[in-house]
Amino acid sequence: MRMQPKLRVLSGCLILAFGIGGGVLGVLAQESGGTGTSEVETLKKQMAQMEEQLRQLRRQVEQMEGKKGEQKEGPSAVAPPPEKPPAVADEQRMKRLEEKVDAALAGTKKVFPSMENPAIGLIVDTSAGYKSHAQTFNYGQPGTRDAGAGFNNDRPAGGDFDLRAGELMISSQVDPFTRAYGVLAGSADPTNNNQATISVEEANIITTRLPYNLTLRGGRYFADFGTLSRQHDHDLPFVDRPPSLDAFVGGEGQTDGVELSWLAPTSTFLRFSAGVGDKFGEDFGSPPNNVTNLTGRPLKGMTYFGKVQSYFDINDNNNFEYGFSIADSPKFTDVCNCGEFERQLLDVDFKYRWYPLATGLYQSFTVAGELLYDHGNEDPVNGGPRLNALGQPARQGAWGGYTYAEARLNRQWRAGFRFDYYQLPSEPELVTNPFTGLPASTLNASGNRTANRTYSPYLTFFASEFQRVRLQYNHYTDGNANNADEFFLQWTVVLGSHSHGFTDRE
Amino acid sequence: MKRVQHMIRRLWLVGLVCGLTAASPTWAGEKIYIVTSLPDLADLARQIGGDAVTAEALATGVENHHAVPIKPSMVVKLNRADLVILMGMEYEHAFLPALLGEARNPKILKGSPGYIDCSVHVTPKEVPENLSRVEGDVHPLGSPHFNLDPEGGRAIAQAIYEGLVLNYPALKPKFEANYNAFLAKLDEKEKEWAVLARPLKGLKFVSYHRAWAYFADSFGMISVGEIELKPGIEPTATHIVDLLGQMKAVGVKVVFREPEYPETVPDQIAAQVGGVVVKMPLMAGGVPEVKTWFELIEYDIRAVLKAAQEAGVIGKV
């Protein structure tokens, strides 16, 4: 009688194990292309262990049945077998095994392609805005982009709804040596009835196993320059890109090229990078249209980048990071194919952060900014040489930059203020002496370079980690009574894979 | 132009000098240098590794595990690490993958022997049926908070032991002795905790964040709900009203507040039901008096006991 419950348990478990095992192996065969092989191998090992344990139990039961039969036939000279472990212990063990199989099965039924290969996410970034009529809409018109109304003028004045970006991001480990990602972006094109223009914003390959703390990146990416030039528009701490960056770089700092970075073997974070690309952003370096079979692009016509970046913890709750960057194009052909010119852009970036570890989700404070100096002899907007007050080609510099402060008020609300300033790189040519009719620098007229300033308070609400609404007001003044006001309401969501990248860190 | 080039050269030199004159490297010399995500894992790594290892955690224990700040100084630690030990099951998704991507240390990349995932022997709980973000910021592989369970500690220790032996087989006898000593201590502690926590069997509670499945199951407690609307989503007024209704209906008097979440709403909820709020750290270091994993479990059990007694749902023990 003592054996029967065991036999029932054993038979039931054998049926269960082989039935589940077959089913699991069938699921595994189907899922083998999707989920990682390590989980599959673990499951197989667990199943194999289960089956072996069941076989051992069966042998024991059979042995005991045999011995029981011998005992029934009559007294034997053989000593009775040792006491068996109680049936309860075996049943408990079987139950634990069953629970493990159940959990393993439950795990295999979940297919997470985004965990492995590839991760896919979509950003939808939209805005509603109103721009005062002091701004002119003159997108893509040479000679007018900076002419006294030089910011955010790639959208119409007045009321505007803008699909800023629908960005599809795909990333994956390629093999043990490299990973890669791509960003396909569609945004409303104001010159084409707001139809979405789709472009490849980024698509590049990154090594993961180079020696000596090196990493190589190649393809299309945002050059390692400054801070915000490396971020997509939807990742900015505010609605719009700082006007100074738009003036000097022109949008995101995209380049097609190759970049090598090195993490120094020091106890303080110190990182160097050097790269070369065909251009930088929209306004820096040789536009590809100007490179033809006849003209070509010399090596000096490329844009060369360099950056050194460091960081230190003041204490657990306070830290500071800073960097120095340069973009240099020694001899490039300008927008109008008027000749070969040179241009350098220098950048100093900094960020101070107070982030109390225990409550950082609910309160923090950040002050950050960049200071830029643009120097060269090319008019980046109109093409041709920069001209001094006498109308002579000249190398000239222009300063610009922004700073902002942002406070996290609680988990959902953040408030900030940004100040932006820049001088036009091509200013002297754009100002005409009203008496002579000749190009003149405002230096002559007023004794000052035109100072374009923007004051921008903003407020952000995070409904969740994946949805954000932001309200911002810009007041622009260029010192020449050309003032403009602008309101934005931005709404941004993230679908799918959600990766916290090192560059995107707060 | 020459002036600019000169300026550029100066800037590079400044940067280089700053870096090279920085404090001398602080790696551990001959010892195996282990970087862990949580302080609990660093503690267990030291217990099993003994004097062959030095271990430090990226998190200090007070942070919200979804908001451990990514700091470049962590990159330096990971760059030098011989091993990285993590909870796994997407526990560290908010910070560790980004840091590993920047650390330039192939030894500790996912899939390498130096990447020790402590969830490999864990039977997951709360595996979601629905992976939609309608359910908030769910953990797709199940709840990763298995460090709050004695059996979770056993699984973690096993993973650490196996990882150490895989990477340093010559030190197996040392690791094995330490591992067995840990298991013996755990067996003893489990018996103590089982006795200590006996009065908590059947205790109903709510928590700020959904993190207590392993702890509750281990000691027979029942989670009735969370203050967060969904994982990672702050509560709405409607949700708080619903939660209060549930609590009153089934007699919940104990409210768990993980230290990284605010006090106001839990205090208000407890006041509404005549209950008690208890501070419950999710990791070692979450409160000053908890420095090790054993202390974490003990602290959490005793804290709940005290709160339950104060709330009058159990007698004095």
Side-chain angles (χ1 to χ4, degrees):
Chain A
M1 292 302 292
R2 208 175 141 198
M3 295 302 145
Q4 287 174 1
K6 263 199 178 158
L7 276 176
R8 281 203 295 274
V9 166
L10 179 63
S11 306
C13 290
L14 280 172
I15 292 166
L16 179 70
F18 286 104
I20 290 172
V24 166
L25 288 173
V27 169
L28 290 174
Q30 290 169 20
E31 303 289 351
S32 62
T35 55
T37 54
S38 59
E39 286 97 336
V40 167
E41 290 305 316
T42 305
L43 275 172
K44 286 182 181 173
K45 280 181 194 163
Q46 287 175 343
M47 287 306 306
Q49 284 168 0
M50 260 189 58
E51 286 167 17
E52 177 57 31
Q53 284 163 347
L54 285 168
R55 274 194 280 276
Q56 285 174 2
L57 275 174
R58 187 181 180 177
R59 277 197 290 274
Q60 287 171 356
V61 167
E62 285 170 353
Q63 282 171 3
M64 299 201 68
E65 277 187 318
K67 284 180 179 146
K68 185 184 174 186
E70 287 172 10
Q71 285 174 353
K72 275 187 182 170
E73 288 168 5
S76 164
V78 177
E83 280 294 323
K84 279 279 296 178
V88 170
D90 287 334
E91 282 183 26
Q92 284 174 345
R93 212 163 135 226
M94 199 56 56
K95 190 165 178 260
R96 280 201 296 273
L97 282 169
E98 286 171 16
E99 282 171 356
K100 280 201 170 184
V101 169
D102 288 344
L105 267 178
T108 59
K109 286 174 188 162
K110 303 293 185 290
V111 178
F112 309 118
S114 63
M115 281 173 55
E116 295 293 335
N117 200 359
I120 302 176
L122 177 71
I123 311 285
V124 180
D125 184 23
T126 67
S127 71
Y130 182 86
K131 192 189 295 185
S132 67
H133 292 286
Q135 286 292 293
T136 56
F137 174 44
N138 48 16
Y139 181 79
Q141 300 297 317
T144 58
R145 198 166 148 208
D146 291 33
F151 90 114
N152 284 336
N153 58 355
D154 57 350
R155 296 296 304 177
D160 184 41
F161 285 95
D162 184 15
L163 172 64
R164 291 158 46 91
E167 284 192 7
L168 186 68
M169 310 173 80
I170 304 174
S171 64
S172 177
Q173 198 73 23
V174 173
D175 56 22
F177 313 106
T178 50
R179 61 185 171 93
Y181 70 90
V183 180
L184 310 177
S187 57
D189 183 349
T191 64
N192 187 22
N193 281 331
N194 270 348
Q195 293 303 305
T197 304
I198 296 176
S199 63
V200 177
E201 270 201 354
E202 292 191 84
N204 59 88
I205 308 158
I206 303 164
T207 63
T208 57
R209 284 181 185 263
L210 287 184
Y212 308 117
N213 284 353
L214 291 167
T215 297
L216 185 69
R217 175 164 66 159
R220 174 167 291 185
Y221 53 90
F222 292 173
D224 194 17
F225 180 93
T227 310
L228 294 188
S229 294
R230 298 181 297 156
Q231 294 192 356
H232 290 259
D233 285 340
H234 66 264
D235 276 330
L236 295 171
F238 10 80
V239 174
D240 60 336
R241 195 161 289 273
S244 55
L245 292 184
D246 262 343
F248 290 175
V249 178
E252 295 152 337
Q254 186 192 74
T255 189
D256 292 351
V258 66
E259 175 189 282
L260 185 69
S261 64
W262 177 58
L263 182 69
T266 55
S267 59
T268 303
F269 179 84
L270 184 65
R271 181 179 176 277
F272 294 85
S273 69
V276 57
D278 62 351
K279 62 168 183 70
F280 178 42
E282 281 186 25
D283 291 340
F284 197 101
S286 260
N289 290 343
N290 291 358
V291 178
T292 68
N293 285 339
L294 297 176
T295 58
R297 182 191 282 127
L299 289 180
K300 284 190 176 179
M302 302 281 184
T303 301
Y304 297 86
F305 303 94
K307 179 166 182 176
V308 57
Q309 180 186 5
S310 189
Y311 166 96
F312 59 91
D313 288 304
I314 301 168
N315 53 39
D316 274 352
N317 298 336
N318 293 272
N319 54 70
F320 187 80
E321 58 183 295
Y322 57 96
F324 306 99
S325 309
I326 177 172
D328 184 3
S329 199
K331 193 176 178 184
F332 65 96
T333 307
D334 67 345
V335 292
C336 67
N337 230 333
C338 300
E340 290 179 333
F341 300 90
E342 62 172 324
R343 190 177 171 199
Q344 295 87 36
L345 188 59
L346 305 175
D347 180 293
V348 176
D349 66 81
F350 75 94
K351 182 187 256 189
Y352 161 75
R353 190 165 62 156
W354 171 67
Y355 189 98
L357 293 182
T359 55
L361 201 61
Y362 293 88
Q363 53 177 162
S364 67
F365 183 70
T366 300
V367 177
E370 295 182 63
L371 177 65
L372 296 100
Y373 181 69
D374 177 280
H375 187 265
N377 61 357
E378 178 247 5
D379 181 344
V381 176
N382 305 307
R386 296 187 194 189
L387 300 178
N388 61 17
L390 301 176
Q392 299 160 337
R395 287 190 184 83
Q396 292 174 330
W399 287 95
Y402 68 91
T403 185
Y404 72 93
E406 181 179 281
R408 188 185 300 218
L409 307 174
N410 55 43
R411 194 171 184 179
Q412 292 171 299
W413 290 96
R414 301 185 200 186
F417 184 87
R418 183 189 76 197
F419 170 71
D420 185 277
Y421 168 90
Y422 69 94
Q423 299 168 336
L424 289 165
S426 57
E427 183 178 23
E429 193 224 358
L430 297 171
V431 178
T432 304
N433 188 312
F435 301 105
T436 64
L438 294 173
S441 166
T442 52
L443 203 59
N444 286 339
S446 63
N448 297 306
R449 291 286 293 276
T450 302
N452 305 277
R453 297 188 176 92
T454 313
Y455 304 87
S456 309
Y458 61 93
L459 186 66
T460 309
F461 172 71
F462 289 84
S464 71
E465 197 178 346
F466 310 105
Q467 185 193 168
R468 180 189 74 209
V469 177
R470 184 173 280 147
L471 179 66
Q472 180 173 323
Y473 164 63
N474 287 346
H475 176 71
Y476 167 81
T477 173
D478 63 2
N480 289 330
N482 285 323
N483 293 338
D485 297 286
E486 196 168 19
F487 291 90
F488 289 108
L489 184 64
Q490 181 192 29
W491 193 8
T492 310
V493 297
V494 176
L495 293 80
S497 172
H498 176 55
S499 167
H500 297 259
F502 186 74
T503 306
D504 303 333
R505 70 187 186 281
E506 290 189 9
Chain B
M1 179 59 192
K2 279 191 181 167
R3 203 171 138 199
V4 171
Q5 285 177 338
H6 193 54
M7 191 188 333
I8 294 162
R9 274 198 287 273
R10 270 198 207 154
L11 285 171
W12 277 99
L13 203 55
V14 163
L16 199 59
V17 167
C18 281
L20 295 177
T21 56
S24 60
T26 57
W27 58 73
E30 296 296 325
K31 290 195 177 189
I32 302 164
Y33 180 47
I34 300 175
V35 174
T36 72
S37 56
L38 307 188
D40 313 42
L41 305 183
D43 170 52
L44 293 176
R46 281 183 220 110
Q47 292 196 48
I48 295 165
D51 57 11
V53 311
T54 182
E56 65 177 304
L58 297 177
T60 64
V62 301
E63 303 92 333
N64 184 301
H65 60 290
H66 288 304
V68 175
I70 298 173
K71 298 181 179 179
S73 49
M74 296 173 176
V75 171
V76 174
K77 291 178 186 172
L78 287 166
N79 174 253
R80 297 175 177 183
D82 297 307
L83 304 172
V84 69
I85 301 178
L86 57 144
M87 291 287 286
M89 293 175 69
E90 302 278 287
Y91 192 110
E92 297 93 350
H93 79 280
F95 61 103
L96 195 57
L99 290 167
L100 288 175
E102 191 65 22
R104 299 136 199 270
N105 187 347
K107 289 186 299 190
I108 60 170
L109 291 178
K110 188 174 182 181
S112 301
Y115 182 96
I116 300 175
D117 182 334
C118 292
S119 67
V120 292
H121 299 297
V122 171
T123 304
K125 294 184 190 288
E126 294 185 336
V127 179
E129 289 298 320
N130 181 5
L131 282 183
S132 164
R133 291 225 176 101
V134 166
E135 300 304 323
D137 195 8
V138 295
H139 293 290
L141 295 171
S143 172
H145 299 278
F146 50 87
N147 62 313
L148 297 168
D149 173 15
E151 284 303 301
R154 192 184 297 274
I156 293 170
Q158 183 182 356
I160 293 175
Y161 165 69
E162 289 171 353
L164 285 171
V165 169
L166 175 68
N167 286 276
Y168 301 95
L171 295 174
K172 185 180 175 186
K174 179 189 283 282
F175 297 147
E176 194 169 18
N178 293 336
Y179 177 50
N180 289 334
F182 171 85
L183 291 179
K185 183 176 177 184
L186 179 57
D187 287 341
E188 207 178 297
K189 278 303 219 183
E190 272 194 292
K191 288 178 197 158
E192 284 177 26
W193 291 333
V195 170
L196 182 65
R198 203 170 285 152
L200 298 175
K201 196 172 171 61
L203 176 78
K204 298 186 183 71
F205 68 94
V206 300
S207 58
Y208 202 106
H209 181 64
R210 187 180 301 168
W212 299 96
Y214 298 91
F215 183 77
D217 285 357
S218 189
F219 301 112
M221 289 177 273
I222 302 165
S223 171
V224 170
E226 293 82 37
I227 293 174
E228 282 183 322
L229 172 65
K230 298 281 184 186
I233 314 284
E234 286 296 288
T236 60
T238 310
H239 173 71
I240 292 173
V241 167
D242 290 343
L243 185 66
L244 281 169
Q246 266 183 291
M247 291 171 72
K248 287 173 182 169
V250 299
V252 177
K253 300 279 190 185
V254 175
V255 179
F256 289 10
R257 181 183 73 84
E258 300 82 356
E260 57 269 28
Y261 291 104
E263 298 177 9
T264 310
V265 171
D267 286 348
Q268 289 170 348
I269 288 175
Q272 290 277 327
V273 300
V276 172
V277 178
V278 54
K279 191 191 287 188
M280 295 285 284
L282 287 171
M283 11 175 186
V287 293
E289 50 270 55
V290 171
K291 294 183 176 49
T292 68
W293 177 78
F294 280 113
E295 287 172 359
L296 173 68
I297 305 294
E298 181 107 6
Y299 178 94
D300 280 345
I301 295 171
R302 290 189 182 277
V304 180
L305 271 172
K306 187 170 175 227
Q309 287 162 17
E310 281 178 26
V313 291
I314 63 171
K316 217 159 172 54
V317 291

